[in-house]
Short mmCIF file of all heavy atoms in Angstrom, two decimals:
data_model
loop_
_atom_site.label_atom_id
_atom_site.label_comp_id
_atom_site.label_asym_id
_atom_site.label_seq_id
_atom_site.Cartn_x
_atom_site.Cartn_y
_atom_site.Cartn_z
N ILE A 1 53.68 66.94 -30.41
CA ILE A 1 52.53 67.15 -29.47
C ILE A 1 51.63 65.86 -29.76
O ILE A 1 50.83 65.51 -28.91
CB ILE A 1 51.89 68.46 -29.72
CG1 ILE A 1 50.81 68.70 -28.74
CG2 ILE A 1 51.25 68.47 -31.20
CD1 ILE A 1 51.22 68.78 -27.35
N VAL A 2 51.66 65.40 -31.00
CA VAL A 2 50.72 64.20 -31.32
C VAL A 2 51.27 63.01 -30.50
O VAL A 2 50.39 62.21 -29.99
CB VAL A 2 50.78 63.98 -32.73
CG1 VAL A 2 49.70 62.78 -33.07
CG2 VAL A 2 50.13 65.15 -33.65
N ALA A 3 52.47 62.77 -30.41
CA ALA A 3 52.97 61.67 -29.66
C ALA A 3 52.57 61.78 -28.19
O ALA A 3 52.21 60.79 -27.55
CB ALA A 3 54.50 61.54 -29.81
N ILE A 4 52.77 62.90 -27.72
CA ILE A 4 52.39 63.12 -26.33
C ILE A 4 50.93 62.85 -26.08
O ILE A 4 50.41 62.33 -25.14
CB ILE A 4 52.81 64.60 -25.81
CG1 ILE A 4 54.34 64.73 -25.86
CG2 ILE A 4 52.30 64.82 -24.43
CD1 ILE A 4 54.71 66.20 -25.67
N ALA A 5 50.06 63.31 -26.95
CA ALA A 5 48.68 63.13 -26.98
C ALA A 5 48.30 61.75 -27.03
O ALA A 5 47.40 61.17 -26.37
CB ALA A 5 47.90 63.89 -28.15
N VAL A 6 49.17 60.81 -27.78
CA VAL A 6 48.97 59.38 -27.73
C VAL A 6 49.22 58.80 -26.41
O VAL A 6 48.35 57.94 -25.89
CB VAL A 6 49.99 58.74 -28.76
CG1 VAL A 6 49.85 57.20 -28.63
CG2 VAL A 6 49.66 59.18 -30.28
N GLY A 7 50.27 59.29 -25.71
CA GLY A 7 50.44 58.72 -24.43
C GLY A 7 49.31 59.09 -23.43
O GLY A 7 48.92 58.25 -22.52
N ILE A 8 48.82 60.34 -23.62
CA ILE A 8 47.70 60.72 -22.62
C ILE A 8 46.47 59.97 -22.96
O ILE A 8 45.69 59.50 -22.03
CB ILE A 8 47.46 62.24 -22.84
CG1 ILE A 8 48.79 63.06 -22.27
CG2 ILE A 8 46.22 62.69 -22.06
CD1 ILE A 8 48.59 64.52 -22.50
N ALA A 9 46.12 59.77 -24.24
CA ALA A 9 44.92 59.07 -24.55
C ALA A 9 44.90 57.70 -24.20
O ALA A 9 43.88 57.12 -23.59
CB ALA A 9 44.66 59.23 -26.11
N VAL A 10 45.97 56.98 -24.47
CA VAL A 10 46.08 55.59 -24.09
C VAL A 10 46.10 55.48 -22.52
O VAL A 10 45.48 54.59 -22.00
CB VAL A 10 47.30 54.96 -24.63
CG1 VAL A 10 47.58 53.54 -24.19
CG2 VAL A 10 47.32 54.96 -26.15
N GLY A 11 46.80 56.25 -21.81
CA GLY A 11 46.90 56.31 -20.36
C GLY A 11 45.54 56.45 -19.81
O GLY A 11 45.27 55.76 -18.81
N MET A 12 44.80 57.40 -20.33
CA MET A 12 43.49 57.68 -19.77
C MET A 12 42.50 56.54 -20.03
O MET A 12 41.63 56.14 -19.19
CB MET A 12 42.98 58.87 -20.34
CG MET A 12 43.60 60.22 -19.94
SD MET A 12 42.96 61.79 -20.52
CE MET A 12 41.37 61.75 -19.75
N ALA A 13 42.64 55.86 -21.26
CA ALA A 13 41.76 54.82 -21.62
C ALA A 13 42.07 53.58 -20.59
O ALA A 13 41.22 52.90 -20.15
CB ALA A 13 41.95 54.36 -22.99
N VAL A 14 43.36 53.30 -20.32
CA VAL A 14 43.71 52.22 -19.42
C VAL A 14 43.25 52.67 -17.99
O VAL A 14 42.71 51.76 -17.26
CB VAL A 14 45.22 52.04 -19.40
CG1 VAL A 14 45.62 51.14 -18.22
CG2 VAL A 14 45.65 51.54 -20.70
N ARG A 15 43.36 53.86 -17.63
CA ARG A 15 42.91 54.28 -16.30
C ARG A 15 41.38 54.07 -16.20
O ARG A 15 40.86 53.60 -15.11
CB ARG A 15 43.30 55.79 -16.12
CG ARG A 15 42.93 56.37 -14.78
CD ARG A 15 43.91 55.98 -13.66
NE ARG A 15 43.61 56.33 -12.42
CZ ARG A 15 44.39 56.32 -11.29
NH1 ARG A 15 45.63 55.71 -11.48
NH2 ARG A 15 44.06 56.58 -10.13
N PHE A 16 40.76 54.44 -17.18
CA PHE A 16 39.22 54.21 -17.15
C PHE A 16 38.88 52.69 -16.99
O PHE A 16 37.97 52.30 -16.26
CB PHE A 16 38.60 54.80 -18.38
CG PHE A 16 37.10 54.73 -18.41
CD1 PHE A 16 36.32 55.70 -17.59
CD2 PHE A 16 36.40 53.74 -19.19
CE1 PHE A 16 34.92 55.50 -17.67
CE2 PHE A 16 34.99 53.60 -19.18
CZ PHE A 16 34.31 54.45 -18.38
N GLY A 17 39.58 51.91 -17.79
CA GLY A 17 39.29 50.47 -17.74
C GLY A 17 39.72 49.93 -16.39
O GLY A 17 39.02 48.91 -16.00
N SER A 18 40.61 50.43 -15.81
CA SER A 18 40.97 49.96 -14.38
C SER A 18 40.13 50.46 -13.26
O SER A 18 40.36 50.17 -12.18
CB SER A 18 42.54 50.26 -14.11
OG SER A 18 42.56 51.70 -13.89
N GLU A 19 39.12 51.17 -13.71
CA GLU A 19 38.10 51.83 -12.74
C GLU A 19 38.96 52.70 -11.78
O GLU A 19 38.56 52.88 -10.63
CB GLU A 19 37.43 50.71 -12.00
CG GLU A 19 36.62 49.78 -12.89
CD GLU A 19 35.90 48.67 -12.10
OE1 GLU A 19 36.08 48.56 -10.96
OE2 GLU A 19 35.29 47.86 -12.80
N GLY A 20 39.95 53.43 -12.27
CA GLY A 20 40.67 54.36 -11.48
C GLY A 20 41.65 53.74 -10.45
O GLY A 20 42.15 54.46 -9.60
N ARG A 21 41.74 52.52 -10.50
CA ARG A 21 42.68 51.81 -9.54
C ARG A 21 44.10 52.28 -9.66
O ARG A 21 44.81 52.73 -8.65
CB ARG A 21 42.61 50.30 -9.61
CG ARG A 21 41.17 49.73 -9.36
CD ARG A 21 40.77 49.94 -7.98
NE ARG A 21 39.38 49.55 -7.80
CZ ARG A 21 39.05 48.35 -7.33
NH1 ARG A 21 39.93 47.48 -7.05
NH2 ARG A 21 37.79 47.98 -7.18
N GLY A 22 44.65 52.16 -10.76
CA GLY A 22 46.14 52.47 -10.94
C GLY A 22 46.99 51.42 -10.38
O GLY A 22 46.46 50.45 -9.74
N GLY A 23 48.26 51.38 -10.62
CA GLY A 23 49.19 50.44 -10.14
C GLY A 23 50.22 49.93 -11.25
O GLY A 23 49.97 50.37 -12.36
N TRP A 24 51.16 49.24 -10.79
CA TRP A 24 52.26 48.88 -11.80
C TRP A 24 51.73 48.18 -13.04
O TRP A 24 52.29 48.24 -14.10
CB TRP A 24 53.38 48.17 -11.04
CG TRP A 24 53.04 46.81 -10.51
CD1 TRP A 24 52.54 46.57 -9.36
CD2 TRP A 24 53.07 45.70 -11.24
NE1 TRP A 24 52.28 45.24 -9.14
CE2 TRP A 24 52.54 44.58 -10.35
CE3 TRP A 24 53.49 45.23 -12.58
CZ2 TRP A 24 52.54 43.28 -10.77
CZ3 TRP A 24 53.39 43.88 -12.85
CH2 TRP A 24 52.87 42.89 -12.04
N ALA A 25 50.81 47.23 -12.71
CA ALA A 25 50.26 46.40 -13.86
C ALA A 25 49.63 47.31 -14.98
O ALA A 25 49.90 47.11 -16.20
CB ALA A 25 49.24 45.37 -13.29
N TYR A 26 48.85 48.24 -14.48
CA TYR A 26 48.19 49.10 -15.52
C TYR A 26 49.21 50.09 -16.00
O TYR A 26 49.07 50.49 -17.21
CB TYR A 26 47.08 49.91 -14.76
CG TYR A 26 45.98 48.95 -14.14
CD1 TYR A 26 45.86 49.00 -12.77
CD2 TYR A 26 45.14 48.13 -14.93
CE1 TYR A 26 44.92 48.04 -12.21
CE2 TYR A 26 44.26 47.34 -14.32
CZ TYR A 26 44.16 47.29 -12.93
OH TYR A 26 43.20 46.39 -12.38
N GLN A 27 50.18 50.52 -15.31
CA GLN A 27 51.22 51.33 -15.86
C GLN A 27 51.97 50.65 -17.04
O GLN A 27 52.27 51.18 -18.02
CB GLN A 27 52.19 51.77 -14.75
CG GLN A 27 51.69 52.78 -13.80
CD GLN A 27 52.50 53.13 -12.61
OE1 GLN A 27 52.92 52.16 -11.92
NE2 GLN A 27 52.83 54.34 -12.44
N LEU A 28 52.26 49.29 -16.82
CA LEU A 28 52.99 48.69 -17.87
C LEU A 28 52.13 48.46 -19.05
O LEU A 28 52.65 48.60 -20.19
CB LEU A 28 53.46 47.21 -17.29
CG LEU A 28 54.48 47.24 -16.28
CD1 LEU A 28 54.75 45.66 -15.72
CD2 LEU A 28 55.81 47.76 -16.79
N ILE A 29 50.79 48.10 -18.87
CA ILE A 29 49.98 48.07 -19.98
C ILE A 29 49.89 49.31 -20.77
O ILE A 29 49.91 49.35 -22.06
CB ILE A 29 48.56 47.64 -19.58
CG1 ILE A 29 48.57 46.26 -19.03
CG2 ILE A 29 47.52 47.90 -20.63
CD1 ILE A 29 47.17 45.84 -18.46
N ALA A 30 49.77 50.50 -20.04
CA ALA A 30 49.65 51.76 -20.67
C ALA A 30 50.94 52.13 -21.47
O ALA A 30 50.91 52.59 -22.66
CB ALA A 30 49.34 52.88 -19.67
#
């Protein structure tokens, strides 16, 4: 569950940094 939480935390941080845009570049970063 901790590993999954890591993916969620990092994904949300990248999403926030991208201003909610999303896209393949941000997906690769995450």
Side-chain angles (χ1 to χ4, degrees):
I1 189 65
V2 179
I4 297 172
V6 170
I8 294 174
V10 174
M12 291 182 65
V14 172
R15 184 81 185 183
F16 182 80
S18 70
E19 299 175 2
R21 299 295 177 92
W24 66 267
Y26 302 114
Q27 288 176 301
L28 290 179
I29 291 175

